[in-house]
Amino acid sequence: MKFNFKPEELTKEKSLFDIYILTKPIKINNFDFYLTIVVFLLLLANSVCFSSSKELLDSIRSWVPLTFSFTTTTLGFLITGFTIFATINKPDLFLALMNIKHPDYDMSYLKYVYGVFMRVFIHFIFWSIVYLFIIMFGQQNGLISKIANGLMIPYEAKKIVIKSTYVILGCSAIYLVLSIKTFIFNIYTMLMQSLRWEMGKNHETKKE
């Protein structure tokens, strides 16, 4: 097979941030997007109309340990599953995918497929760090509270921060759960494509 790309393009990305920038234009599927929007509206309505700042703050502090445990545990399973998946596929299929440009994005199919997988890992790592920081510094009489009191931040400003944090954390949790669904489907799709690739190769061999 003749390749129309340079070998260094395979290792162009040097960090997870580079991979995130590469995959940022890739759209999430409509179901994930609209369900997250629905959750956002429900959380916003609850924070603005039905709950006090203290109730929201208590919810945040009770949610965060659970979401941190969920993200770190799930990330381990995802990495294990992805490692097994990556090792059973063949390099010639990957190189063939690298040889084809994706019609909707300025990248190869290989970068698109693996970029989608990597983006899930990046989101899980990012939100795990956010949850950990809140656990470490956001408890009652924690560093965040002491800084806010020391700077004499107005009560109304604190309410806005609490309500915003409540909505953002709730949306992040549902989005991460939906990412698992997408991750599993992408693995299934790639396995089927791998089998089609093998069938195509066998068919060409018989013709020869």
Side-chain angles (χ1 to χ4, degrees), residues 73-102:
T73 303
T74 305
L75 184 60
F77 284 111
L78 292 179
I79 292 174
T80 302
F82 177 76
T83 302
I84 296 172
F85 157 78
T87 55
I88 64 175
N89 277 293
K90 297 185 177 180
D92 54 349
L93 171 60
F94 296 154
L95 293 175
L97 291 174
M98 187 67 185
N99 221 30
I100 305 171
K101 284 289 184 181
H102 194 284

Side-chain angles (χ1 to χ4, degrees), residues 98-150:
M98 187 67 185
N99 221 30
I100 305 171
K101 284 289 184 181
H102 194 284
D104 299 326
Y105 304 105
D106 185 25
M107 66 183 76
S108 68
Y109 262 104
L110 179 67
K111 298 278 185 170
Y112 170 79
V113 170
Y114 276 83
V116 171
F117 285 124
M118 291 297 106
R119 189 167 66 174
V120 173
F121 294 141
I122 292 169
H123 287 163
F124 267 81
I125 292 170
F126 172 80
W127 286 108
S128 294
I129 294 172
V130 172
Y131 301 148
L132 180 59
F133 268 77
I134 294 175
I135 291 172
M136 293 172 65
F137 305 117
Q139 297 302 313
Q140 188 173 8
N141 297 321
L143 181 62
I144 295 176
S145 298
K146 292 177 180 177
I147 291 175
N149 294 332

